[in-house]
PDB file of all heavy atoms in Angstrom:
ATOM      1  N   GLN A   2       1.848   1.388   0.850  1.00 67.00           N
ATOM      2  CA  GLN A   2       2.670   2.487   1.015  1.00 67.00           C
ATOM      3  C   GLN A   2       3.593   2.623  -0.274  1.00 67.00           C
ATOM      4  O   GLN A   2       3.914   3.661  -0.695  1.00 67.00           O
ATOM      5  CB  GLN A   2       3.612   2.358   2.209  1.00 67.00           C
ATOM      6  CG  GLN A   2       2.686   2.523   3.499  1.00 67.00           C
ATOM      7  CD  GLN A   2       3.564   2.158   4.705  1.00 67.00           C
ATOM      8  OE1 GLN A   2       4.686   1.702   4.604  1.00 67.00           O
ATOM      9  NE2 GLN A   2       3.046   2.503   5.896  1.00 67.00           N
ATOM     10  N   LEU A   4       2.813   1.816  -3.374  1.00 75.00           N
ATOM     11  CA  LEU A   4       2.106   2.097  -4.538  1.00 75.00           C
ATOM     12  C   LEU A   4       1.414   3.490  -4.482  1.00 75.00           C
ATOM     13  O   LEU A   4       1.668   4.446  -5.302  1.00 75.00           O
ATOM     14  CB  LEU A   4       1.008   1.032  -4.845  1.00 75.00           C
ATOM     15  CG  LEU A   4       1.475  -0.413  -5.102  1.00 75.00           C
ATOM     16  CD1 LEU A   4       0.386  -1.328  -5.106  1.00 75.00           C
ATOM     17  CD2 LEU A   4       2.384  -0.388  -6.430  1.00 75.00           C
ATOM     18  N   LYS A  21      -5.412 -14.427  14.228  1.00 86.00           N
ATOM     19  CA  LYS A  21      -4.065 -14.530  13.608  1.00 86.00           C
ATOM     20  C   LYS A  21      -3.799 -13.437  12.714  1.00 86.00           C
ATOM     21  O   LYS A  21      -2.569 -12.913  12.533  1.00 86.00           O
ATOM     22  CB  LYS A  21      -4.006 -15.909  12.769  1.00 86.00           C
ATOM     23  CG  LYS A  21      -3.797 -17.017  13.513  1.00 86.00           C
ATOM     24  CD  LYS A  21      -3.753 -18.270  12.724  1.00 86.00           C
ATOM     25  CE  LYS A  21      -3.559 -19.559  13.503  1.00 86.00           C
ATOM     26  NZ  LYS A  21      -3.400 -20.701  12.640  1.00 86.00           N
ATOM     27  N   LEU A  26      -1.079  -8.294  11.270  1.00 83.00           N
ATOM     28  CA  LEU A  26      -1.320  -6.888  10.932  1.00 83.00           C
ATOM     29  C   LEU A  26      -2.073  -6.149  12.072  1.00 83.00           C
ATOM     30  O   LEU A  26      -3.247  -5.903  12.072  1.00 83.00           O
ATOM     31  CB  LEU A  26      -2.327  -6.748   9.685  1.00 83.00           C
ATOM     32  CG  LEU A  26      -1.787  -7.538   8.394  1.00 83.00           C
ATOM     33  CD1 LEU A  26      -2.930  -7.581   7.379  1.00 83.00           C
ATOM     34  CD2 LEU A  26      -0.612  -6.810   7.861  1.00 83.00           C
ATOM     35  N   ASP A  28      -2.283  -3.203  13.007  1.00 84.00           N
ATOM     36  CA  ASP A  28      -3.053  -1.960  12.797  1.00 84.00           C
ATOM     37  C   ASP A  28      -4.314  -2.063  11.989  1.00 84.00           C
ATOM     38  O   ASP A  28      -5.043  -1.129  11.723  1.00 84.00           O
ATOM     39  CB  ASP A  28      -2.114  -0.874  12.145  1.00 84.00           C
ATOM     40  CG  ASP A  28      -0.949  -0.553  13.101  1.00 84.00           C
ATOM     41  OD1 ASP A  28      -1.055  -0.617  14.332  1.00 84.00           O
ATOM     42  OD2 ASP A  28       0.144  -0.193  12.586  1.00 84.00           O
ATOM     43  N   ILE A  41     -30.823 -26.655   9.864  1.00 75.00           N
ATOM     44  CA  ILE A  41     -30.584 -27.579   8.853  1.00 75.00           C
ATOM     45  C   ILE A  41     -31.006 -28.951   9.463  1.00 75.00           C
ATOM     46  O   ILE A  41     -30.844 -29.357  10.565  1.00 75.00           O
ATOM     47  CB  ILE A  41     -29.069 -27.759   8.532  1.00 75.00           C
ATOM     48  CG1 ILE A  41     -28.562 -26.545   7.997  1.00 75.00           C
ATOM     49  CG2 ILE A  41     -28.729 -28.928   7.614  1.00 75.00           C
ATOM     50  CD1 ILE A  41     -27.023 -26.410   7.762  1.00 75.00           C
ATOM     51  N   HIS A  46     -30.807 -41.130   2.670  1.00 77.00           N
ATOM     52  CA  HIS A  46     -31.490 -42.215   1.948  1.00 77.00           C
ATOM     53  C   HIS A  46     -30.456 -42.978   1.153  1.00 77.00           C
ATOM     54  O   HIS A  46     -30.002 -42.535   0.168  1.00 77.00           O
ATOM     55  CB  HIS A  46     -32.512 -41.607   0.961  1.00 77.00           C
ATOM     56  CG  HIS A  46     -33.412 -40.667   1.670  1.00 77.00           C
ATOM     57  ND1 HIS A  46     -34.631 -41.184   2.366  1.00 77.00           N
ATOM     58  CD2 HIS A  46     -33.467 -39.293   1.804  1.00 77.00           C
ATOM     59  CE1 HIS A  46     -35.233 -40.116   2.829  1.00 77.00           C
ATOM     60  NE2 HIS A  46     -34.518 -38.957   2.632  1.00 77.00           N
ATOM     61  N   ALA A  70     -38.595 -34.846  -1.441  1.00 93.00           N
ATOM     62  CA  ALA A  70     -38.476 -33.497  -0.931  1.00 93.00           C
ATOM     63  C   ALA A  70     -39.609 -32.526  -1.520  1.00 93.00           C
ATOM     64  O   ALA A  70     -39.979 -31.580  -0.822  1.00 93.00           O
ATOM     65  CB  ALA A  70     -37.080 -32.920  -1.435  1.00 93.00           C
ATOM     66  N   CYS A  91     -30.641 -37.697 -15.032  1.00 95.00           N
ATOM     67  CA  CYS A  91     -31.579 -37.386 -13.889  1.00 95.00           C
ATOM     68  C   CYS A  91     -32.631 -36.456 -14.427  1.00 95.00           C
ATOM     69  O   CYS A  91     -33.806 -36.550 -14.075  1.00 95.00           O
ATOM     70  CB  CYS A  91     -30.709 -36.718 -12.765  1.00 95.00           C
ATOM     71  SG  CYS A  91     -31.657 -36.509 -11.191  1.00 95.00           S
ATOM     72  N   PRO A 106     -31.149 -28.001 -15.792  1.00 95.00           N
ATOM     73  CA  PRO A 106     -29.732 -28.395 -15.644  1.00 95.00           C
ATOM     74  C   PRO A 106     -28.813 -27.106 -15.391  1.00 95.00           C
ATOM     75  O   PRO A 106     -29.289 -26.016 -15.845  1.00 95.00           O
ATOM     76  CB  PRO A 106     -29.430 -29.085 -16.839  1.00 95.00           C
ATOM     77  CG  PRO A 106     -30.424 -28.354 -17.879  1.00 95.00           C
ATOM     78  CD  PRO A 106     -31.617 -28.014 -17.070  1.00 95.00           C
ATOM     79  N   SER A 112     -25.935 -22.982 -22.784  1.00 91.00           N
ATOM     80  CA  SER A 112     -25.948 -21.588 -23.300  1.00 91.00           C
ATOM     81  C   SER A 112     -26.051 -20.611 -22.071  1.00 91.00           C
ATOM     82  O   SER A 112     -26.550 -21.003 -20.999  1.00 91.00           O
ATOM     83  CB  SER A 112     -27.147 -21.327 -24.196  1.00 91.00           C
ATOM     84  OG  SER A 112     -28.309 -21.392 -23.441  1.00 91.00           O
ATOM     85  N   GLN A 114     -28.226 -18.273 -21.672  1.00 93.00           N
ATOM     86  CA  GLN A 114     -29.552 -18.137 -21.308  1.00 93.00           C
ATOM     87  C   GLN A 114     -30.080 -19.268 -20.509  1.00 93.00           C
ATOM     88  O   GLN A 114     -30.783 -19.080 -19.499  1.00 93.00           O
ATOM     89  CB  GLN A 114     -30.342 -18.121 -22.660  1.00 93.00           C
ATOM     90  CG  GLN A 114     -31.852 -17.908 -22.421  1.00 93.00           C
ATOM     91  CD  GLN A 114     -32.610 -17.818 -23.769  1.00 93.00           C
ATOM     92  OE1 GLN A 114     -32.057 -17.988 -24.855  1.00 93.00           O
ATOM     93  NE2 GLN A 114     -33.969 -17.779 -23.694  1.00 93.00           N
ATOM     94  N   GLY A 126     -45.030 -18.572  -7.229  1.00 89.00           N
ATOM     95  CA  GLY A 126     -45.902 -19.728  -7.138  1.00 89.00           C
ATOM     96  C   GLY A 126     -45.381 -21.024  -7.663  1.00 89.00           C
ATOM     97  O   GLY A 126     -46.185 -21.985  -7.726  1.00 89.00           O
ATOM     98  N   ILE A 136     -19.467 -28.014  -8.200  1.00 70.00           N
ATOM     99  CA  ILE A 136     -18.814 -26.680  -8.418  1.00 70.00           C
ATOM    100  C   ILE A 136     -19.742 -25.610  -7.910  1.00 70.00           C
ATOM    101  O   ILE A 136     -19.288 -24.535  -7.527  1.00 70.00           O
ATOM    102  CB  ILE A 136     -18.258 -26.597  -9.835  1.00 70.00           C
ATOM    103  CG1 ILE A 136     -17.351 -25.413  -9.878  1.00 70.00           C
ATOM    104  CG2 ILE A 136     -19.419 -26.298 -10.743  1.00 70.00           C
ATOM    105  CD1 ILE A 136     -16.006 -25.588  -9.250  1.00 70.00           C
ATOM    106  N   ILE A 146     -33.681 -21.496  -3.017  1.00 89.00           N
ATOM    107  CA  ILE A 146     -33.344 -22.909  -2.693  1.00 89.00           C
ATOM    108  C   ILE A 146     -33.482 -23.124  -1.182  1.00 89.00           C
ATOM    109  O   ILE A 146     -32.804 -22.395  -0.408  1.00 89.00           O
ATOM    110  CB  ILE A 146     -31.859 -23.306  -3.143  1.00 89.00           C
ATOM    111  CG1 ILE A 146     -31.732 -23.110  -4.723  1.00 89.00           C
ATOM    112  CG2 ILE A 146     -31.408 -24.624  -2.732  1.00 89.00           C
ATOM    113  CD1 ILE A 146     -32.417 -24.122  -5.547  1.00 89.00           C
ATOM    114  N   ARG A 156     -16.904 -36.158  -9.483  1.00 81.00           N
ATOM    115  CA  ARG A 156     -16.002 -36.641 -10.624  1.00 81.00           C
ATOM    116  C   ARG A 156     -14.643 -35.877 -10.377  1.00 81.00           C
ATOM    117  O   ARG A 156     -14.692 -34.685 -10.107  1.00 81.00           O
ATOM    118  CB  ARG A 156     -16.553 -36.247 -11.898  1.00 81.00           C
ATOM    119  CG  ARG A 156     -15.825 -36.701 -13.079  1.00 81.00           C
ATOM    120  CD  ARG A 156     -16.353 -37.717 -14.128  1.00 81.00           C
ATOM    121  NE  ARG A 156     -17.455 -38.535 -13.754  1.00 81.00           N
ATOM    122  CZ  ARG A 156     -18.745 -38.414 -14.214  1.00 81.00           C
ATOM    123  NH1 ARG A 156     -19.099 -37.450 -14.997  1.00 81.00           N
ATOM    124  NH2 ARG A 156     -19.632 -39.232 -13.840  1.00 81.00           N
ATOM    125  N   LYS A 168      -7.154 -39.371 -15.817  1.00 84.00           N
ATOM    126  CA  LYS A 168      -8.467 -39.766 -16.229  1.00 84.00           C
ATOM    127  C   LYS A 168      -9.438 -39.355 -15.217  1.00 84.00           C
ATOM    128  O   LYS A 168      -9.089 -39.025 -14.036  1.00 84.00           O
ATOM    129  CB  LYS A 168      -8.506 -41.274 -16.278  1.00 84.00           C
ATOM    130  CG  LYS A 168      -8.325 -42.036 -14.929  1.00 84.00           C
ATOM    131  CD  LYS A 168      -8.577 -43.533 -15.077  1.00 84.00           C
ATOM    132  CE  LYS A 168      -8.658 -44.132 -13.708  1.00 84.00           C
ATOM    133  NZ  LYS A 168      -9.131 -45.512 -13.763  1.00 84.00           N
TER     134      LYS A 168
END
Side-chain angles (χ1 to χ4, degrees):
Q2 293 170 347
L4 296 174
K21 285 184 180 178
L26 302 168
D28 296 332
I41 296 175
H46 305 277
C91 193
S112 69
Q114 181 182 359
I136 194 71
I146 298 291
R156 184 117 339 108
K168 70 174 189 166

